């Protein structure tokens, strides 16, 4: 087998479909040659002399260099794959060069041009040699490159250790690392205050680093596929951890709260696995300091900070990924971690339930305009282990004190305790009575004077009506006029009900009566009766409008209104 490609002629002459002869020369043009000469001369003039060092310079590796190497490795994988899949070997390339009909289907002239490119393409020739060596088994490393697993034996490592530099230093000693000063600290396995159960360890370093890598940190690796990027950040682990955490906490709740029903257990689980609870744990274990992201940490702290609760879920997901179905250690850790909160929830289950009306009830008993219960915050809470404490006070005297996870509920607890303080309630109730009695008596006097004046007005009106009564009673009410026809298109005055009520009351001492019920077509039907007579029936989509339409029907018919309002009193 040929180990290299034989030299070919510098010029190839081909015949086109029209019979014309055309020479294809692979040699660079005179302009290209002059350009290369000029570039070479520039390099000579720019470099005055080569520097001389006392020893070989070490290789420098920084973050940028690492990223470049990572990208180069990915490109190498792809390039080798293309060579192994599409490149001919040297024999195939020779056949390709000698073939008379090499072309792309566009005609003899185009085919000849491609054949000339094949004959004089040194890069293609190099790939053919590479493919040939691979085929005869001399380059098995190419398969390893494509597969991403280049193997190195212990003998290879030992030989590498013996490789010396020009000054006698080993290759490993001639490397320096230029890494930026890192502000990422390691986590606290038993909590910042060393009061938490020890974190189960993630043994796989790569999996561990993935837990603390936010997707923003790797979004710039565009040379990786979306699937490869997914394996670098914690989003999938967070999804898995959320499910595992819910399942394990459910088992813990089922064991710890034997008397709780489904609804109560769901409420407890929602509290235990809430973002607020997980965020607290994340901070105490130092997950927030360990997380790698390009997001502004100050901006995160001003938001809901869910990103740190997600890291806690990702840690649980990584434990599941590493341990498989053997999660007993994880469940035992979670049981210890949630134990203080579970005990607190058990105590709360025996506490008196919140009376949301307690504050209003307390104010109604002892509150007044110039003095009323005030609620003073004694201790800030964190919504988790540290509760809010609120004092209910009057004149700087404490009536009751309450503690809860929210400041609002703590205030309600304080009011509930104040309602049990009979001594203080009695004291301020008597004070309010003594202050309000004169005001209340004055108000009663004003209301009595108004009522007496109204009575005198009514007596005068009655006397005037009596003087105007006829000597003989009027004719009976003509009941054949009723019920009146209802016009659904007639305009409606929504105040007509009140006006009709006042008129009938003044004229007859009676009042209109409305009866409503649902119709078959989803409408409301309203019947209006006065003095026991069915006046009219009206319908509408609204119950209120149906009654107003019935009142409008009577109000608009003066004759019917006069009939139903007849006064049968006489002077005698």
């Amino acid at each position: 087998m040929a180990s290299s490609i034989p030299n070919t002629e510098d010029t190839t002459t081909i015949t086109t479909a029209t019979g014309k002869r055309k020479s294809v020369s692979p040699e660079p043009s005179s302009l290209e040659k002059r350009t290369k000469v000029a570039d070479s001369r520039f390099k000579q003039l720019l470099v005055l002399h080569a520097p001389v060092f006392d020893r070989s310079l070490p290789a420098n590796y920084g973050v940028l260099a690492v990223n470049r190497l990572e990208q180069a490795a990915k490109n190498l994988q792809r390039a080798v794959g293309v060579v192994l899949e599409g490149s001919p070997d040297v024999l195939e390339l020779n056949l390709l060069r000698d073939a008379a009909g090499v072309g792309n289907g566009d005609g003899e002239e185009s085919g000849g041009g491609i054949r000339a490119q094949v004959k004089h393409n040194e890069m293609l020739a190099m790939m053919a040699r590479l493919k040939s060596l691979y085929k005869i088994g001399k380059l098995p490393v190419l398969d390893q490159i494509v597969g991403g697993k280049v193997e190195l034996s212990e003998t290879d490592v030992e030989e590498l250790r013996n490789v010396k530099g020009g000054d006698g230093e080993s290759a490993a000693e001639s490397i320096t690392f230029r890494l930026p000063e890192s502000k990422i600290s390691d986590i606290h396995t038993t909590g910042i205050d060393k009061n938490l159960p020890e974190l189960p360890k993630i043994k796989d370093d790569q999996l561990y680093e993935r837990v603390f890598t936010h997707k923003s940190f790797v979004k710039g690796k565009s040379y990786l596929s979306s699937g490869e990027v997914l394996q670098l950040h914690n989003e999938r682990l967070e999804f898995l951890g959320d499910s595992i955490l819910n399942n394990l906490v459910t088992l813990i709740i089922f064991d710890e709260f034997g008397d709780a029903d489904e609804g109560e257990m769901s409420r407890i689980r929602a509290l235990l696995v809430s973002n607020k609870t997980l965020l607290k744990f994340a901070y105490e274990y130092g997950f927030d300091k360990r997380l790698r992201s390009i997001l502004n940490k100050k901006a995160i702290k001003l938001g809901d900070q869910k990103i740190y609760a997600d890291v806690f879920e990702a840690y649980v997901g990584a434990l599941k990924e590493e341990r498989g179905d053997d999660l007993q250690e994880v469940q035992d850790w979670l049981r210890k971690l949630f134990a203080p909160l579970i005990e607190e929830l058990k105590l709360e289950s025996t506490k008196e339930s919140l009376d949301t009306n307690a504050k209003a009830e307390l104010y109604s008993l002892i509150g007044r305009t110039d003095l009323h219960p005030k609620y003073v915050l004694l201790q800030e809470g964190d919504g988790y282990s540290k509760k809010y404490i609120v004092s209910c006070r009057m004149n700087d005297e404490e009536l009751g004190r309450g503690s809860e996870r929210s400041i609002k509920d703590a205030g309600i607890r304080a009011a509930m305790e104040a309602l049990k303080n009979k001594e203080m309630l009695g004291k301020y109730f008597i004070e309010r009575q003594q202050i309000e009695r004169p005001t209340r008596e004055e108000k009663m006097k004003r209301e009595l004077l108004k009522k007496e004046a109204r009575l005198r007005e009514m007596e005068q009106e009655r006397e005037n009506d009596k003087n105007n009564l006829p000597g003989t009673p009027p004719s009976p009410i003509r009941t054949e006029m009723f019920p009146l026809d209802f016009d659904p298109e007639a305009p409606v005055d929504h105040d007509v009900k009140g006006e009709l009520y006042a008129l009938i009351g003044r004229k007859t001492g009676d009042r209109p009566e409305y009866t409503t019920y649902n119709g078959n077509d989803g409408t409301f039907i309203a019947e209006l009766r006065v003095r026991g007579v069915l006046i009219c029936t009206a319908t509408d989509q609204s119950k209120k409008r149906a009654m107003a339409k019935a009142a409008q029907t009577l109000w608009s018919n003066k004759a019917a209104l006069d009939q139903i309002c007849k006064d049968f009193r006489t002077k005698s």
Side-chain angles (χ1 to χ4, degrees):
M1 179 179 291
S3 60
S4 62
I5 303 300
N7 293 329
T8 58
E9 295 179 353
D10 292 340
T11 303
T12 301
T13 303
I14 61 175
T15 303
T16 64
T18 58
K20 295 181 179 180
R21 298 174 64 82
K22 182 177 180 181
S23 176
V24 179
S25 174
E27 291 296 324
S29 66
S30 60
L31 179 61
E32 291 174 336
K33 289 181 178 179
R34 288 167 58 193
T35 302
K36 290 182 179 179
V37 170
D39 290 342
S40 177
R41 183 60 179 154
F42 263 118
K43 292 179 182 179
Q44 293 175 3
L45 292 175
L46 288 174
V47 180
L48 298 180
H49 55 82
V52 178
F53 300 100
D54 60 350
R55 65 177 189 173
S56 300
L57 292 178
N60 283 285
Y61 290 96
V63 174
L64 183 59
V66 171
N67 287 340
R68 284 177 175 172
L69 288 173
E70 183 182 37
Q71 184 171 1
K74 193 64 185 177
N75 291 337
L76 177 62
Q77 275 188 309
R78 292 171 180 164
V80 171
V82 170
V83 170
L84 297 186
E85 182 178 350
S87 175
D89 58 33
V90 291
L91 297 179
E92 292 168 340
L93 185 58
N94 284 335
L95 291 174
L96 189 63
R97 284 175 166 177
D98 296 336
V102 176
N104 60 3
D106 293 335
E108 181 70 25
E109 181 175 355
S110 176
I114 292 178
R115 183 174 58 190
Q117 293 178 28
V118 169
K119 292 182 71 174
H120 300 285
N121 192 320
E122 182 57 32
M123 297 302 294
L124 183 58
M126 182 179 70
M127 293 300 101
R129 298 184 194 107
L130 193 66
K131 179 68 172 285
S132 301
L133 291 173
Y134 169 75
K135 277 188 170 183
I136 63 176
K138 290 189 176 182
L139 289 177
V141 72
L142 295 184
D143 282 329
Q144 297 175 15
I145 291 173
V146 174
K149 295 181 179 179
V150 176
E151 298 175 355
L152 204 63
S153 66
E154 293 185 4
T155 304
D156 295 332
V157 175
E158 191 60 34
E159 289 182 7
L160 183 64
R161 288 196 181 98
N162 296 326
V163 175
K164 299 293 183 178
D167 56 359
E169 291 182 323
S170 69
E173 293 171 344
S174 62
I175 297 177
T176 61
F177 292 93
R178 295 177 292 101
L179 299 177
E181 182 180 352
S182 175
K183 295 183 179 179
I184 297 178
S185 60
D186 207 354
I187 59 177
H188 303 273
T189 56
T190 57
I192 295 175
D193 298 326
K194 302 189 182 303
N195 59 348
L196 296 181
E198 185 173 359
L199 275 169
K201 186 177 180 181
I202 299 173
K203 299 176 183 178
D204 186 329
D205 291 341
Q206 185 176 2
L207 188 62
Y208 178 84
E209 291 300 329
R210 184 177 162 197
V211 168
F212 298 102
T213 303
H214 187 257
K215 65 179 179 180
S216 65
F217 192 76
V218 296
K219 70 176 184 178
K221 296 181 181 289
S222 57
Y223 49 87
L224 299 179
S225 68
S226 59
E228 290 171 325
V229 171
L230 277 176
Q231 300 303 316
L232 296 179
H233 61 75
N234 63 13
E235 209 167 62
R236 282 174 57 85
L237 292 176
E238 173 208 335
F239 175 81
L240 177 62
D242 176 68
S243 177
I244 298 301
L245 188 61
N246 270 280
N247 289 337
L248 294 180
V249 169
T250 297
L251 294 174
I252 294 171
I253 293 172
F254 193 82
D255 291 341
E256 296 289 341
F257 296 87
D259 298 328
D261 59 21
E262 178 187 3
E264 181 65 11
M265 287 192 294
S266 296
R267 186 190 70 81
I268 294 171
R269 182 177 60 189
L271 176 64
L272 294 182
V273 300
S274 67
N275 284 331
K276 183 182 290 186
T277 304
L278 302 185
L279 178 62
K280 175 77 174 177
F281 291 149
Y283 274 132
E284 290 184 350
Y285 279 119
F287 286 1
D288 58 313
K289 301 292 192 302
R290 186 67 179 79
L291 180 65
R292 297 185 298 172
S293 79
I294 63 172
L295 303 178
N296 186 294
K297 291 199 173 184
K298 289 184 179 179
I300 295 174
K301 288 186 179 293
L302 291 176
D304 61 7
Q305 304 175 57
K306 180 180 178 296
I307 186 174
Y308 298 135
D310 293 343
V311 177
F312 186 90
E313 291 177 335
Y315 197 95
V316 175
L319 292 173
K320 162 64 178 174
E321 184 85 350
E322 191 170 70
R323 286 164 170 73
D325 295 333
D326 184 12
L327 295 176
Q328 188 59 51
E329 180 189 1
V330 181
Q331 184 174 347
D332 293 342
W333 163 61
L334 290 175
R335 189 183 295 275
K336 294 175 184 177
L337 186 61
F338 285 114
L341 188 53
I342 288 175
E343 288 304 314
E344 191 174 335
L345 289 171
K346 287 180 178 180
L347 290 175
E348 286 185 358
S349 65
T350 63
K351 289 169 63 175
E352 182 182 1
S353 59
L354 279 176
D355 179 6
T356 55
N357 197 43
K359 286 188 175 182
E361 184 180 351
L362 182 63
Y363 186 91
S364 67
L365 286 174
I366 61 176
R368 58 181 194 264
T369 304
D370 62 329
L371 184 65
H372 55 80
K374 294 182 179 180
Y375 298 89
V376 180
L377 179 64
L378 301 180
Q379 175 182 293
E380 284 278 359
D382 58 10
Y384 169 64
S385 58
K386 187 177 180 182
K387 291 186 175 182
Y388 292 90
I389 300 178
V390 173
S391 173
C392 176
R393 297 173 177 270
M394 286 271 285
N395 268 344
D396 290 332
E397 288 185 293
E398 185 172 274
L399 307 183
R401 181 178 293 193
S403 64
E404 275 293 345
R405 287 191 180 84
S406 74
I407 190 171
K408 178 182 177 182
D409 290 349
I412 293 174
R413 289 282 181 198
M416 291 171 63
E417 291 301 309
L419 287 171
K420 299 175 185 177
N421 193 339
K422 304 300 182 183
E423 180 181 352
M424 299 299 288
L425 287 181
K427 171 187 173 180
Y428 285 105
F429 180 78
I430 293 172
E431 279 188 16
R432 191 179 77 169
Q433 292 291 95
Q434 291 173 345
I435 293 173
E436 292 184 348
R437 183 176 291 117
T439 304
R440 188 167 56 254
E441 290 177 352
E442 183 64 27
K443 182 179 178 181
M444 290 175 62
K445 287 179 182 179
R446 289 197 302 269
E447 290 178 351
L448 179 60
L449 289 174
K450 286 182 180 180
K451 188 178 292 185
E452 289 174 344
R454 179 57 185 155
L455 285 173
R456 288 193 294 269
E457 290 176 3
M458 291 176 65
E459 288 173 355
Q460 185 63 45
E461 290 173 358
R462 185 65 58 83
E463 188 65 27
N464 293 338
D465 287 344
K466 190 174 182 180
N467 292 334
N468 296 327
L469 290 174
T472 58
S475 61
I477 296 173
R478 292 164 50 202
T479 56
E480 71 273 8
M481 296 181 64
F482 305 101
L484 301 174
D485 292 333
F486 162 62
D487 181 7
E489 303 299 329
V492 179
D493 180 0
H494 290 283
D495 295 330
V496 72
K497 276 184 65 183
E499 294 174 359
L500 183 65
Y501 186 93
L503 177 65
I504 292 177
R506 187 171 69 253
K507 293 283 189 180
T508 69
D510 201 358
R511 62 182 183 180
E513 295 180 354
Y514 298 90
T515 304
T516 61
Y517 50 92
N518 296 325
N520 294 329
D521 55 354
T523 60
F524 289 94
I525 302 174
E527 292 181 348
L528 169 61
R529 284 181 169 82
V530 178
R531 289 181 159 182
V533 177
L534 176 62
I535 303 300
C536 69
T537 301
T539 61
D540 195 85
Q541 297 292 330
S542 162
K543 183 189 295 186
K544 185 177 180 181
R545 284 181 59 84
M547 292 189 290
K549 285 182 176 181
Q552 185 72 54
T553 301
L554 176 57
W555 186 264
S556 301
N557 193 324
K558 188 175 184 308
L561 189 60
D562 289 342
Q563 281 294 318
I564 204 66
C565 290
K566 278 185 176 180
D567 190 344
F568 292 95
R569 294 175 298 167
T570 62
K571 289 183 179 180
S572 57

